[in-house]
Amino acid sequence: MMLDTRILLTGIGSYLPKNKVSNEDLSKFIDTSDEWITKRTGIKYRHFVSENEFTSDMGTKAANNAILDAGINAEDIDIIIVATTTPDNTFPSTASKIQQNIKCNAISFDIQAVCAGFVYAISIGTSMLRDGYGEKCLVIGADSMSKILDWKDRSTSVLFGDGAGAIILEKHKVSNYLRDGIQWGILGSKIFTDGQYHDLLMTSGGVSANKKAGYIKMNGKEIFRHAVEKLSSSLVMCLEECKLKINNLDWVIPHQANQRILSAVANKVGLDENKIISTISNHGNTSAASIPLALDYSIKNGEINKGNILAFQAIGGGLSWGSMILKFGKPPAFEK
Ligand code: ACO
């Protein structure tokens, strides 16, 4: 029997803060309306952390759920990568706090690619597992965006929410199971950065700039344009790298920024819009957490199943963006 070393996505978990805030709730303290937000973005609700709830708290809960789902023990984890823009502290990493919370000795670090962070983090984790840094990697996307919102800027503050999602990546030798001609696990990823656009989406502060975290500032129209173009082109490139066609994809789980961006990308790449997972209306834009939150929700909802071919795609400040394709779960031989 032919055996291949594959990086498999074997577990998923998520967490949303209890405080669910509607568009009507926002309209009580800023000049906005449910109609404007819904029409422009598709967002109806978002969740906000409480003052004493931190990114590491949400990340820990999501991580514990993913560990349970994968059927592994925390001490088996070799690498923890946390994608976040809103770490608990400037240093040490939020990943090192989560390492202590879940109790393991994994190599632990944060990465910063804003809303594209989760796709970046999976790409890094996959490379590290392939390069021999271990057998199991916990990848977390967690953000408390509410803590960097400027409530005087109504065009940006209504878009974001808080949450966390986590997955387990495992390196396994699996039989070359090619019933549909497509291997299991991570099939390919394409990630990009173009710093000439760094000021289209940024915070008004930073440690070395003014010793403050700052608030989100965004050129919404330009971000919209770049998002449609770059999410589409990176998905097409990733499909080519994987030698797949758009019709091979069972589901696309995009970064949940704006329903109109998702529809425009589907239209541009010739994707059936029914294959796009959208949790925008209930979650808002949770930055690095949005893909794993949407993934977990749609698995629990019975939409995504093991063996499905999935594409993740995201764009955020930097600009940073990328797409990746994988076959979800473990081959049948693994199931007990
Ligand atoms: N409520 C009511 N009215 C508002 C609000 C609000 N919350 N915000 C802005 N307006 C008003 C504006 O003042 C303006 O009024 P005016 O015509 O009297 O001047 C009008 O609505 C139109 O404003 P625009 O900014 O032109 O609205 P637009 O149609 O561009 O929509 C939006 C703005 C929703 C931000 C859009 O540009 C967008 O979705 N961009 C993508 C940004 C995004 O998703 N970013 C997420 C982070 S990056 C990422 O994750 C991809």
Side-chain angles (χ1 to χ4, degrees), residues 31-32 36 40 115 154-155 158 160 201 218 220-221 223-224 255 257-258 285 315:
D31 182 13
T32 191
W36 191 96
R40 292 293 210 291
C115 300
R154 64 179 179 167
S155 64
V158 300
F160 292 90
L201 177 54
M218 178 177 66
K221 279 196 198 321
I223 289 292
F224 194 103
H255 167 51
N258 181 319
N285 181 344
I315 182 164

mmCIF file with all atom_site columns, all heavy atoms in Angstrom, residues 31-32 36 40 115 154-155 158 160 201 218 220-221 223-224 255 257-258 285 315, ligand 1:
data_model
loop_
_atom_site.group_PDB
_atom_site.id
_atom_site.type_symbol
_atom_site.label_atom_id
_atom_site.label_alt_id
_atom_site.label_comp_id
_atom_site.label_asym_id
_atom_site.label_entity_id
_atom_site.label_seq_id
_atom_site.pdbx_PDB_ins_code
_atom_site.Cartn_x
_atom_site.Cartn_y
_atom_site.Cartn_z
_atom_site.occupancy
_atom_site.B_iso_or_equiv
_atom_site.pdbx_formal_charge
_atom_site.auth_seq_id
_atom_site.auth_comp_id
_atom_site.auth_asym_id
_atom_site.auth_atom_id
_atom_site.pdbx_PDB_model_num
ATOM   1   N N   . ASP A 1 31  ? -25.174 57.101 15.253 1.00 0.00 ? 31  ASP A N   1
ATOM   2   C CA  . ASP A 1 31  ? -26.124 57.489 14.218 1.00 0.00 ? 31  ASP A CA  1
ATOM   3   C C   . ASP A 1 31  ? -26.084 56.472 13.085 1.00 0.00 ? 31  ASP A C   1
ATOM   4   O O   . ASP A 1 31  ? -25.381 56.640 12.087 1.00 0.00 ? 31  ASP A O   1
ATOM   5   C CB  . ASP A 1 31  ? -25.744 58.899 13.725 1.00 0.00 ? 31  ASP A CB  1
ATOM   6   C CG  . ASP A 1 31  ? -26.719 59.409 12.681 1.00 0.00 ? 31  ASP A CG  1
ATOM   7   O OD1 . ASP A 1 31  ? -27.802 58.789 12.535 1.00 0.00 ? 31  ASP A OD1 1
ATOM   8   O OD2 . ASP A 1 31  ? -26.388 60.391 12.000 1.00 0.00 ? 31  ASP A OD2 1
ATOM   9   N N   . THR A 1 32  ? -26.836 55.371 13.263 1.00 0.00 ? 32  THR A N   1
ATOM   10  C CA  . THR A 1 32  ? -26.886 54.329 12.240 1.00 0.00 ? 32  THR A CA  1
ATOM   11  C C   . THR A 1 32  ? -28.245 53.647 12.302 1.00 0.00 ? 32  THR A C   1
ATOM   12  O O   . THR A 1 32  ? -29.093 54.015 13.123 1.00 0.00 ? 32  THR A O   1
ATOM   13  C CB  . THR A 1 32  ? -25.742 53.311 12.436 1.00 0.00 ? 32  THR A CB  1
ATOM   14  O OG1 . THR A 1 32  ? -25.660 52.471 11.296 1.00 0.00 ? 32  THR A OG1 1
ATOM   15  C CG2 . THR A 1 32  ? -25.933 52.446 13.682 1.00 0.00 ? 32  THR A CG2 1
ATOM   16  N N   . TRP A 1 36  ? -29.410 50.374 7.148  1.00 0.00 ? 36  TRP A N   1
ATOM   17  C CA  . TRP A 1 36  ? -28.148 50.753 6.482  1.00 0.00 ? 36  TRP A CA  1
ATOM   18  C C   . TRP A 1 36  ? -27.129 49.616 6.613  1.00 0.00 ? 36  TRP A C   1
ATOM   19  O O   . TRP A 1 36  ? -26.510 49.200 5.629  1.00 0.00 ? 36  TRP A O   1
ATOM   20  C CB  . TRP A 1 36  ? -27.570 52.045 7.086  1.00 0.00 ? 36  TRP A CB  1
ATOM   21  C CG  . TRP A 1 36  ? -26.436 52.618 6.270  1.00 0.00 ? 36  TRP A CG  1
ATOM   22  C CD1 . TRP A 1 36  ? -26.528 53.604 5.316  1.00 0.00 ? 36  TRP A CD1 1
ATOM   23  C CD2 . TRP A 1 36  ? -25.052 52.220 6.308  1.00 0.00 ? 36  TRP A CD2 1
ATOM   24  N NE1 . TRP A 1 36  ? -25.298 53.847 4.762  1.00 0.00 ? 36  TRP A NE1 1
ATOM   25  C CE2 . TRP A 1 36  ? -24.365 53.013 5.343  1.00 0.00 ? 36  TRP A CE2 1
ATOM   26  C CE3 . TRP A 1 36  ? -24.309 51.293 7.020  1.00 0.00 ? 36  TRP A CE3 1
ATOM   27  C CZ2 . TRP A 1 36  ? -22.994 52.909 5.102  1.00 0.00 ? 36  TRP A CZ2 1
ATOM   28  C CZ3 . TRP A 1 36  ? -22.943 51.174 6.777  1.00 0.00 ? 36  TRP A CZ3 1
ATOM   29  C CH2 . TRP A 1 36  ? -22.304 51.969 5.828  1.00 0.00 ? 36  TRP A CH2 1
ATOM   30  N N   . ARG A 1 40  ? -25.804 47.354 3.376  1.00 0.00 ? 40  ARG A N   1
ATOM   31  C CA  . ARG A 1 40  ? -24.412 47.542 2.933  1.00 0.00 ? 40  ARG A CA  1
ATOM   32  C C   . ARG A 1 40  ? -23.524 46.333 3.202  1.00 0.00 ? 40  ARG A C   1
ATOM   33  O O   . ARG A 1 40  ? -22.547 46.105 2.507  1.00 0.00 ? 40  ARG A O   1
ATOM   34  C CB  . ARG A 1 40  ? -23.780 48.751 3.632  1.00 0.00 ? 40  ARG A CB  1
ATOM   35  C CG  . ARG A 1 40  ? -24.350 50.102 3.237  1.00 0.00 ? 40  ARG A CG  1
ATOM   36  C CD  . ARG A 1 40  ? -24.019 50.409 1.783  1.00 0.00 ? 40  ARG A CD  1
ATOM   37  N NE  . ARG A 1 40  ? -23.871 51.824 1.467  1.00 0.00 ? 40  ARG A NE  1
ATOM   38  C CZ  . ARG A 1 40  ? -24.837 52.711 1.452  1.00 0.00 ? 40  ARG A CZ  1
ATOM   39  N NH1 . ARG A 1 40  ? -26.049 52.380 1.822  1.00 0.00 ? 40  ARG A NH1 1
ATOM   40  N NH2 . ARG A 1 40  ? -24.595 53.961 1.101  1.00 0.00 ? 40  ARG A NH2 1
ATOM   41  N N   . CYS A 1 115 ? -6.897  40.362 9.207  1.00 0.00 ? 115 CYS A N   1
ATOM   42  C CA  . CYS A 1 115 ? -8.000  39.457 8.843  1.00 0.00 ? 115 CYS A CA  1
ATOM   43  C C   . CYS A 1 115 ? -7.528  38.254 8.029  1.00 0.00 ? 115 CYS A C   1
ATOM   44  O O   . CYS A 1 115 ? -8.243  37.261 7.909  1.00 0.00 ? 115 CYS A O   1
ATOM   45  C CB  . CYS A 1 115 ? -9.069  40.226 8.074  1.00 0.00 ? 115 CYS A CB  1
ATOM   46  S SG  . CYS A 1 115 ? -9.775  41.586 9.001  1.00 0.00 ? 115 CYS A SG  1
ATOM   47  N N   . ARG A 1 154 ? -18.720 55.807 12.385 1.00 0.00 ? 154 ARG A N   1
ATOM   48  C CA  . ARG A 1 154 ? -19.830 54.855 12.220 1.00 0.00 ? 154 ARG A CA  1
ATOM   49  C C   . ARG A 1 154 ? -19.645 53.930 11.016 1.00 0.00 ? 154 ARG A C   1
ATOM   50  O O   . ARG A 1 154 ? -20.220 52.849 10.967 1.00 0.00 ? 154 ARG A O   1
ATOM   51  C CB  . ARG A 1 154 ? -21.160 55.611 12.103 1.00 0.00 ? 154 ARG A CB  1
ATOM   52  C CG  . ARG A 1 154 ? -21.258 56.504 10.876 1.00 0.00 ? 154 ARG A CG  1
ATOM   53  C CD  . ARG A 1 154 ? -22.603 57.191 10.801 1.00 0.00 ? 154 ARG A CD  1
ATOM   54  N NE  . ARG A 1 154 ? -22.655 58.068 9.634  1.00 0.00 ? 154 ARG A NE  1
ATOM   55  C CZ  . ARG A 1 154 ? -23.751 58.601 9.164  1.00 0.00 ? 154 ARG A CZ  1
ATOM   56  N NH1 . ARG A 1 154 ? -24.902 58.367 9.768  1.00 0.00 ? 154 ARG A NH1 1
ATOM   57  N NH2 . ARG A 1 154 ? -23.717 59.379 8.107  1.00 0.00 ? 154 ARG A NH2 1
ATOM   58  N N   . SER A 1 155 ? -18.849 54.355 10.003 1.00 0.00 ? 155 SER A N   1
ATOM   59  C CA  . SER A 1 155 ? -18.723 53.494 8.821  1.00 0.00 ? 155 SER A CA  1
ATOM   60  C C   . SER A 1 155 ? -17.821 52.285 9.088  1.00 0.00 ? 155 SER A C   1
ATOM   61  O O   . SER A 1 155 ? -17.847 51.310 8.343  1.00 0.00 ? 155 SER A O   1
ATOM   62  C CB  . SER A 1 155 ? -18.220 54.292 7.615  1.00 0.00 ? 155 SER A CB  1
ATOM   63  O OG  . SER A 1 155 ? -16.923 54.754 7.867  1.00 0.00 ? 155 SER A OG  1
ATOM   64  N N   . VAL A 1 158 ? -19.400 49.675 12.964 1.00 0.00 ? 158 VAL A N   1
ATOM   65  C CA  . VAL A 1 158 ? -20.550 48.757 12.898 1.00 0.00 ? 158 VAL A CA  1
ATOM   66  C C   . VAL A 1 158 ? -20.181 47.407 12.273 1.00 0.00 ? 158 VAL A C   1
ATOM   67  O O   . VAL A 1 158 ? -20.983 46.475 12.292 1.00 0.00 ? 158 VAL A O   1
ATOM   68  C CB  . VAL A 1 158 ? -21.724 49.386 12.090 1.00 0.00 ? 158 VAL A CB  1
ATOM   69  C CG1 . VAL A 1 158 ? -22.184 50.677 12.753 1.00 0.00 ? 158 VAL A CG1 1
ATOM   70  C CG2 . VAL A 1 158 ? -21.341 49.626 10.636 1.00 0.00 ? 158 VAL A CG2 1
ATOM   71  N N   . PHE A 1 160 ? -17.494 45.245 12.936 1.00 0.00 ? 160 PHE A N   1
ATOM   72  C CA  . PHE A 1 160 ? -16.652 44.237 13.602 1.00 0.00 ? 160 PHE A CA  1
ATOM   73  C C   . PHE A 1 160 ? -17.294 43.596 14.834 1.00 0.00 ? 160 PHE A C   1
ATOM   74  O O   . PHE A 1 160 ? -18.167 44.178 15.464 1.00 0.00 ? 160 PHE A O   1
ATOM   75  C CB  . PHE A 1 160 ? -15.315 44.868 14.001 1.00 0.00 ? 160 PHE A CB  1
ATOM   76  C CG  . PHE A 1 160 ? -14.463 45.235 12.816 1.00 0.00 ? 160 PHE A CG  1
ATOM   77  C CD1 . PHE A 1 160 ? -14.561 46.488 12.228 1.00 0.00 ? 160 PHE A CD1 1
ATOM   78  C CD2 . PHE A 1 160 ? -13.582 44.317 12.259 1.00 0.00 ? 160 PHE A CD2 1
ATOM   79  C CE1 . PHE A 1 160 ? -13.796 46.823 11.121 1.00 0.00 ? 160 PHE A CE1 1
ATOM   80  C CE2 . PHE A 1 160 ? -12.816 44.643 11.152 1.00 0.00 ? 160 PHE A CE2 1
ATOM   81  C CZ  . PHE A 1 160 ? -12.913 45.898 10.583 1.00 0.00 ? 160 PHE A CZ  1
ATOM   82  N N   . LEU A 1 201 ? -6.009  50.393 5.488  1.00 0.00 ? 201 LEU A N   1
ATOM   83  C CA  . LEU A 1 201 ? -6.662  49.759 6.636  1.00 0.00 ? 201 LEU A CA  1
ATOM   84  C C   . LEU A 1 201 ? -5.604  49.614 7.722  1.00 0.00 ? 201 LEU A C   1
ATOM   85  O O   . LEU A 1 201 ? -4.666  48.825 7.572  1.00 0.00 ? 201 LEU A O   1
ATOM   86  C CB  . LEU A 1 201 ? -7.208  48.386 6.204  1.00 0.00 ? 201 LEU A CB  1
ATOM   87  C CG  . LEU A 1 201 ? -7.876  47.510 7.244  1.00 0.00 ? 201 LEU A CG  1
ATOM   88  C CD1 . LEU A 1 201 ? -8.990  48.245 7.969  1.00 0.00 ? 201 LEU A CD1 1
ATOM   89  C CD2 . LEU A 1 201 ? -8.446  46.254 6.580  1.00 0.00 ? 201 LEU A CD2 1
ATOM   90  N N   . MET A 1 218 ? -10.211 52.960 8.185  1.00 0.00 ? 218 MET A N   1
ATOM   91  C CA  . MET A 1 218 ? -10.324 52.183 6.947  1.00 0.00 ? 218 MET A CA  1
ATOM   92  C C   . MET A 1 218 ? -10.879 53.018 5.805  1.00 0.00 ? 218 MET A C   1
ATOM   93  O O   . MET A 1 218 ? -11.809 53.800 5.995  1.00 0.00 ? 218 MET A O   1
ATOM   94  C CB  . MET A 1 218 ? -11.254 50.986 7.186  1.00 0.00 ? 218 MET A CB  1
ATOM   95  C CG  . MET A 1 218 ? -11.471 50.144 5.960  1.00 0.00 ? 218 MET A CG  1
ATOM   96  S SD  . MET A 1 218 ? -12.495 48.701 6.310  1.00 0.00 ? 218 MET A SD  1
ATOM   97  C CE  . MET A 1 218 ? -14.037 49.489 6.697  1.00 0.00 ? 218 MET A CE  1
ATOM   98  N N   . GLY A 1 220 ? -13.036 52.262 3.212  1.00 0.00 ? 220 GLY A N   1
ATOM   99  C CA  . GLY A 1 220 ? -13.943 51.154 2.914  1.00 0.00 ? 220 GLY A CA  1
ATOM   100 C C   . GLY A 1 220 ? -14.081 50.835 1.439  1.00 0.00 ? 220 GLY A C   1
ATOM   101 O O   . GLY A 1 220 ? -14.056 49.671 1.033  1.00 0.00 ? 220 GLY A O   1
ATOM   102 N N   . LYS A 1 221 ? -14.213 51.882 0.624  1.00 0.00 ? 221 LYS A N   1
ATOM   103 C CA  . LYS A 1 221 ? -14.446 51.653 -0.807 1.00 0.00 ? 221 LYS A CA  1
ATOM   104 C C   . LYS A 1 221 ? -13.245 50.970 -1.463 1.00 0.00 ? 221 LYS A C   1
ATOM   105 O O   . LYS A 1 221 ? -13.387 50.055 -2.268 1.00 0.00 ? 221 LYS A O   1
ATOM   106 C CB  . LYS A 1 221 ? -14.719 52.981 -1.507 1.00 0.00 ? 221 LYS A CB  1
ATOM   107 C CG  . LYS A 1 221 ? -16.140 53.454 -1.353 1.00 0.00 ? 221 LYS A CG  1
ATOM   108 C CD  . LYS A 1 221 ? -16.441 54.531 -2.378 1.00 0.00 ? 221 LYS A CD  1
ATOM   109 C CE  . LYS A 1 221 ? -17.668 55.360 -2.030 1.00 0.00 ? 221 LYS A CE  1
ATOM   110 N NZ  . LYS A 1 221 ? -18.799 54.693 -1.451 1.00 0.00 ? 221 LYS A NZ  1
ATOM   111 N N   . ILE A 1 223 ? -10.862 49.217 0.067  1.00 0.00 ? 223 ILE A N   1
ATOM   112 C CA  . ILE A 1 223 ? -10.709 47.854 0.615  1.00 0.00 ? 223 ILE A CA  1
ATOM   113 C C   . ILE A 1 223 ? -11.667 46.909 -0.097 1.00 0.00 ? 223 ILE A C   1
ATOM   114 O O   . ILE A 1 223 ? -11.321 45.779 -0.453 1.00 0.00 ? 223 ILE A O   1
ATOM   115 C CB  . ILE A 1 223 ? -10.968 47.854 2.145  1.00 0.00 ? 223 ILE A CB  1
ATOM   116 C CG1 . ILE A 1 223 ? -9.827  48.558 2.876  1.00 0.00 ? 223 ILE A CG1 1
ATOM   117 C CG2 . ILE A 1 223 ? -11.134 46.435 2.669  1.00 0.00 ? 223 ILE A CG2 1
ATOM   118 C CD1 . ILE A 1 223 ? -8.495  47.835 2.827  1.00 0.00 ? 223 ILE A CD1 1
ATOM   119 N N   . PHE A 1 224 ? -12.868 47.384 -0.317 1.00 0.00 ? 224 PHE A N   1
ATOM   120 C CA  . PHE A 1 224 ? -13.872 46.567 -1.017 1.00 0.00 ? 224 PHE A CA  1
ATOM   121 C C   . PHE A 1 224 ? -13.339 46.134 -2.381 1.00 0.00 ? 224 PHE A C   1
ATOM   122 O O   . PHE A 1 224 ? -13.375 44.955 -2.753 1.00 0.00 ? 224 PHE A O   1
ATOM   123 C CB  . PHE A 1 224 ? -15.160 47.390 -1.181 1.00 0.00 ? 224 PHE A CB  1
ATOM   124 C CG  . PHE A 1 224 ? -16.357 46.575 -1.568 1.00 0.00 ? 224 PHE A CG  1
ATOM   125 C CD1 . PHE A 1 224 ? -17.314 46.252 -0.630 1.00 0.00 ? 224 PHE A CD1 1
ATOM   126 C CD2 . PHE A 1 224 ? -16.527 46.115 -2.868 1.00 0.00 ? 224 PHE A CD2 1
ATOM   127 C CE1 . PHE A 1 224 ? -18.422 45.489 -0.972 1.00 0.00 ? 224 PHE A CE1 1
ATOM   128 C CE2 . PHE A 1 224 ? -17.627 45.355 -3.223 1.00 0.00 ? 224 PHE A CE2 1
ATOM   129 C CZ  . PHE A 1 224 ? -18.583 45.045 -2.274 1.00 0.00 ? 224 PHE A CZ  1
ATOM   130 N N   . HIS A 1 255 ? -13.197 34.753 4.570  1.00 0.00 ? 255 HIS A N   1
ATOM   131 C CA  . HIS A 1 255 ? -13.209 35.700 5.684  1.00 0.00 ? 255 HIS A CA  1
ATOM   132 C C   . HIS A 1 255 ? -14.537 36.450 5.633  1.00 0.00 ? 255 HIS A C   1
ATOM   133 O O   . HIS A 1 255 ? -14.960 36.917 4.573  1.00 0.00 ? 255 HIS A O   1
ATOM   134 C CB  . HIS A 1 255 ? -12.031 36.664 5.528  1.00 0.00 ? 255 HIS A CB  1
ATOM   135 C CG  . HIS A 1 255 ? -12.125 37.850 6.422  1.00 0.00 ? 255 HIS A CG  1
ATOM   136 N ND1 . HIS A 1 255 ? -12.359 37.736 7.779  1.00 0.00 ? 255 HIS A ND1 1
ATOM   137 C CD2 . HIS A 1 255 ? -12.040 39.184 6.158  1.00 0.00 ? 255 HIS A CD2 1
ATOM   138 C CE1 . HIS A 1 255 ? -12.396 38.943 8.306  1.00 0.00 ? 255 HIS A CE1 1
ATOM   139 N NE2 . HIS A 1 255 ? -12.219 39.838 7.349  1.00 0.00 ? 255 HIS A NE2 1
ATOM   140 N N   . ALA A 1 257 ? -16.311 39.345 5.961  1.00 0.00 ? 257 ALA A N   1
ATOM   141 C CA  . ALA A 1 257 ? -16.220 40.798 6.088  1.00 0.00 ? 257 ALA A CA  1
ATOM   142 C C   . ALA A 1 257 ? -17.514 41.477 5.659  1.00 0.00 ? 257 ALA A C   1
ATOM   143 O O   . ALA A 1 257 ? -18.002 42.378 6.348  1.00 0.00 ? 257 ALA A O   1
ATOM   144 C CB  . ALA A 1 257 ? -15.064 41.339 5.265  1.00 0.00 ? 257 ALA A CB  1
ATOM   145 N N   . ASN A 1 258 ? -18.053 41.033 4.538  1.00 0.00 ? 258 ASN A N   1
ATOM   146 C CA  . ASN A 1 258 ? -19.157 41.773 3.952  1.00 0.00 ? 258 ASN A CA  1
ATOM   147 C C   . ASN A 1 258 ? -19.827 40.858 2.922  1.00 0.00 ? 258 ASN A C   1
ATOM   148 O O   . ASN A 1 258 ? -19.162 40.328 2.037  1.00 0.00 ? 258 ASN A O   1
ATOM   149 C CB  . ASN A 1 258 ? -18.572 43.025 3.278  1.00 0.00 ? 258 ASN A CB  1
ATOM   150 C CG  . ASN A 1 258 ? -19.622 43.895 2.653  1.00 0.00 ? 258 ASN A CG  1
ATOM   151 O OD1 . ASN A 1 258 ? -20.569 43.408 2.042  1.00 0.00 ? 258 ASN A OD1 1
ATOM   152 N ND2 . ASN A 1 258 ? -19.449 45.197 2.791  1.00 0.00 ? 258 ASN A ND2 1
ATOM   153 N N   . ASN A 1 285 ? -17.640 40.990 11.356 1.00 0.00 ? 285 ASN A N   1
ATOM   154 C CA  . ASN A 1 285 ? -16.258 40.713 10.954 1.00 0.00 ? 285 ASN A CA  1
ATOM   155 C C   . ASN A 1 285 ? -15.416 40.491 12.216 1.00 0.00 ? 285 ASN A C   1
ATOM   156 O O   . ASN A 1 285 ? -15.132 41.432 12.952 1.00 0.00 ? 285 ASN A O   1
ATOM   157 C CB  . ASN A 1 285 ? -15.733 41.908 10.149 1.00 0.00 ? 285 ASN A CB  1
ATOM   158 C CG  . ASN A 1 285 ? -14.308 41.702 9.656  1.00 0.00 ? 285 ASN A CG  1
ATOM   159 O OD1 . ASN A 1 285 ? -13.592 40.831 10.135 1.00 0.00 ? 285 ASN A OD1 1
ATOM   160 N ND2 . ASN A 1 285 ? -13.898 42.525 8.713  1.00 0.00 ? 285 ASN A ND2 1
ATOM   161 N N   . ILE A 1 315 ? -8.619  38.345 3.367  1.00 0.00 ? 315 ILE A N   1
ATOM   162 C CA  . ILE A 1 315 ? -7.805  39.546 3.096  1.00 0.00 ? 315 ILE A CA  1
ATOM   163 C C   . ILE A 1 315 ? -7.931  40.486 4.280  1.00 0.00 ? 315 ILE A C   1
ATOM   164 O O   . ILE A 1 315 ? -8.982  40.544 4.933  1.00 0.00 ? 315 ILE A O   1
ATOM   165 C CB  . ILE A 1 315 ? -8.241  40.243 1.781  1.00 0.00 ? 315 ILE A CB  1
ATOM   166 C CG1 . ILE A 1 315 ? -7.347  41.467 1.505  1.00 0.00 ? 315 ILE A CG1 1
ATOM   167 C CG2 . ILE A 1 315 ? -9.715  40.633 1.806  1.00 0.00 ? 315 ILE A CG2 1
ATOM   168 C CD1 . ILE A 1 315 ? -7.430  41.984 0.076  1.00 0.00 ? 315 ILE A CD1 1
HETATM 169 N N1  . ACO B 2 .   ? -24.936 54.088 9.286  1.00 0.00 ? 1   ACO B N1  1
HETATM 170 C C1  . ACO B 2 .   ? -25.583 54.946 8.497  1.00 0.00 ? 1   ACO B C1  1
HETATM 171 N N2  . ACO B 2 .   ? -24.979 55.665 7.527  1.00 0.00 ? 1   ACO B N2  1
HETATM 172 C C2  . ACO B 2 .   ? -23.659 55.468 7.355  1.00 0.00 ? 1   ACO B C2  1
HETATM 173 C C3  . ACO B 2 .   ? -22.915 54.584 8.157  1.00 0.00 ? 1   ACO B C3  1
HETATM 174 C C4  . ACO B 2 .   ? -23.608 53.882 9.157  1.00 0.00 ? 1   ACO B C4  1
HETATM 175 N N3  . ACO B 2 .   ? -23.007 52.982 9.974  1.00 0.00 ? 1   ACO B N3  1
HETATM 176 N N4  . ACO B 2 .   ? -21.637 54.616 7.755  1.00 0.00 ? 1   ACO B N4  1
HETATM 177 C C5  . ACO B 2 .   ? -21.546 55.487 6.728  1.00 0.00 ? 1   ACO B C5  1
HETATM 178 N N5  . ACO B 2 .   ? -22.784 56.009 6.488  1.00 0.00 ? 1   ACO B N5  1
HETATM 179 C C6  . ACO B 2 .   ? -23.157 56.967 5.462  1.00 0.00 ? 1   ACO B C6  1
HETATM 180 C C7  . ACO B 2 .   ? -22.006 57.841 5.018  1.00 0.00 ? 1   ACO B C7  1
HETATM 181 O O1  . ACO B 2 .   ? -21.852 58.940 5.890  1.00 0.00 ? 1   ACO B O1  1
HETATM 182 C C8  . ACO B 2 .   ? -22.439 58.258 3.641  1.00 0.00 ? 1   ACO B C8  1
HETATM 183 O O2  . ACO B 2 .   ? -23.369 59.297 3.771  1.00 0.00 ? 1   ACO B O2  1
HETATM 184 P P1  . ACO B 2 .   ? -23.385 60.519 2.716  1.00 0.00 ? 1   ACO B P1  1
HETATM 185 O O3  . ACO B 2 .   ? -23.677 59.900 1.383  1.00 0.00 ? 1   ACO B O3  1
HETATM 186 O O4  . ACO B 2 .   ? -24.468 61.383 3.242  1.00 0.00 ? 1   ACO B O4  1
HETATM 187 O O5  . ACO B 2 .   ? -22.011 61.112 2.801  1.00 0.00 ? 1   ACO B O5  1
HETATM 188 C C9  . ACO B 2 .   ? -23.196 57.034 3.117  1.00 0.00 ? 1   ACO B C9  1
HETATM 189 O O6  . ACO B 2 .   ? -23.545 56.257 4.285  1.00 0.00 ? 1   ACO B O6  1
HETATM 190 C C10 . ACO B 2 .   ? -22.381 56.185 2.180  1.00 0.00 ? 1   ACO B C10 1
HETATM 191 O O7  . ACO B 2 .   ? -21.104 55.942 2.772  1.00 0.00 ? 1   ACO B O7  1
HETATM 192 P P2  . ACO B 2 .   ? -20.025 55.128 2.036  1.00 0.00 ? 1   ACO B P2  1
HETATM 193 O O8  . ACO B 2 .   ? -18.806 55.051 2.883  1.00 0.00 ? 1   ACO B O8  1
HETATM 194 O O9  . ACO B 2 .   ? -19.885 55.633 0.637  1.00 0.00 ? 1   ACO B O9  1
HETATM 195 O O10 . ACO B 2 .   ? -20.715 53.699 1.980  1.00 0.00 ? 1   ACO B O10 1
HETATM 196 P P3  . ACO B 2 .   ? -20.309 52.424 1.164  1.00 0.00 ? 1   ACO B P3  1
HETATM 197 O O11 . ACO B 2 .   ? -21.410 52.066 0.283  1.00 0.00 ? 1   ACO B O11 1
HETATM 198 O O12 . ACO B 2 .   ? -18.924 52.519 0.596  1.00 0.00 ? 1   ACO B O12 1
HETATM 199 O O13 . ACO B 2 .   ? -20.261 51.330 2.336  1.00 0.00 ? 1   ACO B O13 1
HETATM 200 C C11 . ACO B 2 .   ? -18.741 50.088 3.705  1.00 0.00 ? 1   ACO B C11 1
HETATM 201 C C12 . ACO B 2 .   ? -19.315 51.441 3.392  1.00 0.00 ? 1   ACO B C12 1
HETATM 202 C C13 . ACO B 2 .   ? -19.852 49.189 4.206  1.00 0.00 ? 1   ACO B C13 1
HETATM 203 C C14 . ACO B 2 .   ? -17.687 50.237 4.790  1.00 0.00 ? 1   ACO B C14 1
HETATM 204 C C15 . ACO B 2 .   ? -18.139 49.501 2.411  1.00 0.00 ? 1   ACO B C15 1
HETATM 205 O O14 . ACO B 2 .   ? -17.245 50.400 1.828  1.00 0.00 ? 1   ACO B O14 1
HETATM 206 C C16 . ACO B 2 .   ? -17.442 48.201 2.660  1.00 0.00 ? 1   ACO B C16 1
HETATM 207 O O15 . ACO B 2 .   ? -18.047 47.225 3.031  1.00 0.00 ? 1   ACO B O15 1
HETATM 208 N N6  . ACO B 2 .   ? -16.121 48.138 2.430  1.00 0.00 ? 1   ACO B N6  1
HETATM 209 C C17 . ACO B 2 .   ? -15.355 46.936 2.696  1.00 0.00 ? 1   ACO B C17 1
HETATM 210 C C18 . ACO B 2 .   ? -14.743 47.130 3.990  1.00 0.00 ? 1   ACO B C18 1
HETATM 211 C C19 . ACO B 2 .   ? -14.645 45.898 4.821  1.00 0.00 ? 1   ACO B C19 1
HETATM 212 O O16 . ACO B 2 .   ? -15.392 44.953 4.747  1.00 0.00 ? 1   ACO B O16 1
HETATM 213 N N7  . ACO B 2 .   ? -13.682 45.976 5.691  1.00 0.00 ? 1   ACO B N7  1
HETATM 214 C C20 . ACO B 2 .   ? -13.481 44.998 6.683  1.00 0.00 ? 1   ACO B C20 1
HETATM 215 C C21 . ACO B 2 .   ? -12.072 44.982 7.098  1.00 0.00 ? 1   ACO B C21 1
HETATM 216 S S1  . ACO B 2 .   ? -11.051 44.436 5.825  1.00 0.00 ? 1   ACO B S1  1
HETATM 217 C C22 . ACO B 2 .   ? -11.572 43.033 5.525  1.00 0.00 ? 1   ACO B C22 1
HETATM 218 O O17 . ACO B 2 .   ? -11.910 42.339 6.428  1.00 0.00 ? 1   ACO B O17 1
HETATM 219 C C23 . ACO B 2 .   ? -11.689 42.652 4.127  1.00 0.00 ? 1   ACO B C23 1
#
